[in-house]
Amino acid sequence: MKAEFIKLYPENPDERKVRQIVEVLRDGGVIIYPTDTIYGMGCDIFNSKAIEKIKQIKEIKGKNLNLSFICHDLSHLSEYTKRVETPIFKLMKKSLPGPFTYILESSSKVPKILNARKKTVGIRVPDNNIPRAIVRELGNPIITTSILDSDEIIEYSTDPSLIFEAFENLVDIVIDGGFGGNEPSTVVDCTEDEPVIVRQGIGDISQYL
């Protein structure tokens, strides 16, 4: 079935449309949505059917799905991660919402959710009201993964109309939140004593250290 193409404005996402998107997520749907960096693909982290659908779309074999979540804020962090040391929590609090993915040790709940053996999880709180409004209405995080298969800049990655053309027969909803970027988030590994940048993206972590 062809995907729906839904327009939302980051400044003030329409609550009725947000609820419509959340119902699709609860029913096992996969959505493409804007963030503060590039457009992402996601689903409800508790829906195994939707997770398998994302793995099929991205041709991910076995249990290699990248474990990154979008959260509304940091309030539910303790459910999915082990204890976060105070300096790291302060760093996250200062820099989020923002274009950063923080790699943390996952709690026992995460492997159960995703049927994976990974010991870490990426946490994102993007500076974009659309995905955060969706997550808040849903009541739990959504998976976030790039719609790109490589680091190459692809034209459709920034234009929601072209994204819809590319994915209309693969996902359930494509959200038009305006043109996106083509530079990903900065990934910061916080599993050791000091934070380590493992991918430099659009975010500059140095201003928060």
Side-chain angles (χ1 to χ4, degrees):
M1 193 169 75
K2 190 174 179 179
E4 289 187 79
F5 193 46
I6 297 177
K7 176 69 177 178
L8 285 176
Y9 295 94
E11 300 80 14
N12 187 24
D14 184 286
E15 292 183 8
R16 181 184 59 81
K17 291 181 180 179
V18 168
R19 287 193 295 270
Q20 176 187 349
I21 292 163
V22 166
E23 286 304 309
V24 170
L25 287 170
R26 287 177 176 153
D27 196 38
V30 172
I31 66 172
I32 290 177
Y33 52 89
T35 70
D36 52 354
T37 56
I38 59 178
Y39 267 78
M41 181 188 302
C43 67
D44 184 343
I45 62 170
F46 291 106
N47 196 300
S48 58
K49 180 179 74 172
I51 292 168
E52 288 303 315
K53 186 173 180 179
I54 287 179
K55 288 170 69 175
Q56 289 174 9
I57 293 169
K58 297 201 67 177
E59 298 181 350
I60 296 170
K61 304 296 183 183
K63 299 178 180 180
N64 296 320
L65 184 65
N66 185 20
L67 302 184
S68 291
F69 302 162
I70 283 186
C71 301
H72 172 250
D73 54 30
L74 297 180
S75 61
H76 294 136
L77 192 67
S78 60
E79 290 187 39
Y80 308 103
T81 65
K82 293 183 178 179
R83 185 176 182 273
V84 179
E85 298 298 327
T86 301
I88 297 298
F89 187 81
K90 286 183 176 178
L91 172 63
M92 296 174 69
K93 194 170 183 181
K94 284 191 290 185
S95 60
L96 297 175
F100 301 98
T101 299
Y102 286 99
I103 305 298
L104 302 163
E105 287 189 66
S106 60
S107 70
S108 59
K109 188 173 184 178
V110 171
K112 291 176 183 176
I113 293 168
L114 296 175
N115 191 27
R117 297 189 180 91
K118 292 195 176 184
K119 298 179 180 179
T120 60
V121 61
I123 298 293
R124 280 222 67 200
V125 183
D127 189 14
N128 186 306
N129 288 328
I130 292 173
R132 284 166 43 222
I134 291 168
V135 168
R136 183 174 59 237
E137 179 69 24
L138 182 62
N140 51 261
I142 59 174
I143 282 177
T144 179
T145 183
S146 168
I147 61 172
L148 306 182
D149 293 322
S150 70
D151 291 331
E152 295 177 13
I153 296 174
I154 300 175
E155 186 182 3
Y156 69 62
S157 68
T158 62
D159 185 333
S161 297
L162 295 179
I163 292 171
F164 180 72
E165 288 179 16
F167 289 91
E168 62 182 321
N169 295 313
L170 297 173
V171 302
D172 299 280
I173 290 175
V174 175
I175 299 170
D176 176 2
F179 276 80
N182 54 27
E183 190 174 359
S185 64
T186 294
V187 179
V188 185
D189 187 338
C190 296
T191 58
E192 302 296 337
D193 293 337
E194 297 291 331
V196 176
I197 296 173
V198 295
R199 182 184 73 192
Q200 181 61 58
I202 195 171
D204 178 11
I205 199 66
S206 64
Q207 62 184 306
Y208 303 107
L209 295 173

